Amino acid sequence: MKERTLPYALLVPAFVIVLATTLYPLAYSFVTSFREWDLTKQRRPGGFVGVENYLHAATESGFQNSFWVTTIFVVTSVILTVILAMSLALLLRRKGRMHTFTRIILILPFAMSPALIGVSYRFMFNPEFGVLAKGLGAVFPALEGTPWLASPDLAMAILVITDVWHWTPYMTFMCLGGLASIPRETEEAARIDGASNLRIIFGIILPQMKGVLLVTAVLKTIFALKMFDQVVTLTGGGPGTSTETMAFFIFNVGFKWFDMGYASALAWILTVIMMVISAWYVRMLLSERKMATA
């Protein structure tokens, strides 16, 4: 009897931790999203207001702006990250000391804290003493003195670049793992038949990498939807609200404007978006497995 119950008893501490840190906050925030709670007026949640907070999100310009900013950021960062990761994986799949050394160096950007990355790039793009700003100005004189983070388009571009720089190494190693599972015999047979490198990549490698690339894209999408640290330390959501992502907007609503009921509703909207993407990913993955076993 003890042998049967022991595994479940060992799982109890982990279950309690998950319940205390994940399930309970989720349930509490879900209930709060249907209530009025202004921290400047009351310490505890007020009365129920139904779906008023959710209806307010559908009509408020601030949330709509953050939604479109997040959409632009997610689409551009995911596409660039997947393309760069796959390209680097194809270059680094070969064996050799140089390739091994490059793989070691490649992991350094991912090891850095997102907040530290934002602070670093903020200094490097400073038009007065930033090393990247000065370097770009020396190579392209027309860019000398450009206020990089004062332009909405340039600030968004820099935010995307820093995110791509941070996540590309991790996604590259995922692609390298996928490439290692592809039989080399198919490539060798194609080369014997006279296929070019591009034909091998697009006709043989990428079709077999479809599942891995799908996982990479979905994971990067979820990470991009949660973009917060670099927005705080790099752009502060500015200039204006041009780089105010949904996560940063929710933070402002809850801890700057102290409207916890509305912030909970916005957080659940973001959570539902992530759940829909995850469900779509699982469905696609299951369909891929069915086709592979058919």
Side-chain angles (χ1 to χ4, degrees):
M1 186 66 179
K2 290 183 178 180
E3 294 181 356
R4 293 183 178 181
T5 59
L6 181 59
Y8 299 99
L10 294 176
L11 289 175
V12 169
F15 179 76
V16 171
I17 293 175
V18 172
L19 180 65
T21 60
T22 304
L23 298 181
Y24 175 74
L26 280 174
Y28 192 83
S29 65
F30 182 71
V31 175
T32 304
S33 68
F34 296 98
R35 306 179 73 170
E36 179 186 6
W37 189 5
D38 189 344
L39 284 177
T40 61
K41 300 178 181 179
Q42 52 200 23
R43 297 178 59 184
R44 296 182 178 276
F48 283 91
V49 294
V51 295
E52 181 178 333
N53 290 324
Y54 292 93
L55 294 177
H56 182 50
T59 58
E60 193 207 2
S61 59
F63 176 71
Q64 293 176 359
N65 172 76
S66 68
F67 178 83
W68 288 114
V69 168
T70 303
T71 301
I72 295 171
F73 173 80
V74 169
V75 171
T76 53
S77 65
V78 169
I79 292 175
L80 290 176
T81 301
V82 172
I83 292 176
L84 286 176
M86 189 63 205
S87 301
L88 287 173
L90 290 171
L91 292 174
L92 297 176
R93 65 185 305 207
R94 301 175 183 175
K95 296 180 180 180
R97 293 183 178 180
M98 184 59 66
H99 292 84
T100 303
F101 177 75
T102 305
R103 294 181 187 180
I104 297 173
I105 297 298
L106 190 65
I107 200 64
L108 293 179
F110 182 69
M112 294 182 63
S113 166
L116 178 60
I117 293 173
V119 173
S120 301
Y121 273 87
R122 187 178 184 89
F123 277 100
M124 288 190 288
F125 275 101
N126 187 290
E128 297 181 1
F129 52 79
V131 60
L132 289 181
K134 290 295 184 180
L136 290 172
V139 177
F140 306 100
L143 298 178
E144 180 68 31
T146 300
W148 295 94
L149 297 177
S151 168
D153 295 334
L154 291 177
M156 174 59 75
I158 293 173
L159 187 64
V160 171
I161 290 172
T162 59
D163 186 65
V164 171
W165 180 80
H166 176 62
W167 283 105
T168 296
Y170 178 74
M171 301 304 172
T172 299
F173 283 104
M174 289 184 62
C175 293
L176 281 171
L179 288 173
S181 64
I182 298 177
R184 287 298 184 99
E185 291 78 7
T186 56
E187 296 181 43
E188 294 175 358
R191 294 187 188 279
I192 293 174
D193 292 338
S196 63
N197 289 330
L198 288 178
R199 185 63 182 271
I200 292 174
I201 291 174
F202 288 98
I204 296 176
I205 296 178
L206 290 183
Q208 297 184 74
M209 286 286 293
K210 185 178 179 180
V212 176
L213 293 177
L214 177 63
V215 174
T216 303
V218 171
L219 288 177
K220 183 62 187 72
T221 300
I222 294 175
F223 295 143
L225 284 171
K226 300 188 297 181
M227 167 57 69
F228 176 76
D229 306 65
Q230 286 159 241
V231 177
V232 175
T233 57
L234 179 60
T235 65
T241 58
S242 59
T243 59
E244 190 176 57
T245 59
M246 291 177 65
F248 186 70
F249 180 73
I250 293 170
F251 172 82
N252 285 336
V253 171
F255 298 99
K256 187 176 181 181
W257 306 332
F258 302 107
D259 192 347
M260 300 304 294
Y262 183 41
S264 299
L266 295 178
W268 264 97
I269 292 174
L270 182 58
T271 302
V272 169
I273 294 174
M274 293 182 184
M275 291 172 63
V276 170
I277 294 174
S278 301
W280 173 79
Y281 154 67
V282 172
R283 183 177 179 182
M284 290 289 293
L285 190 61
L286 291 176
S287 63
E288 285 288 328
R289 289 183 177 179
K290 288 182 180 179
M291 292 177 62
T293 56

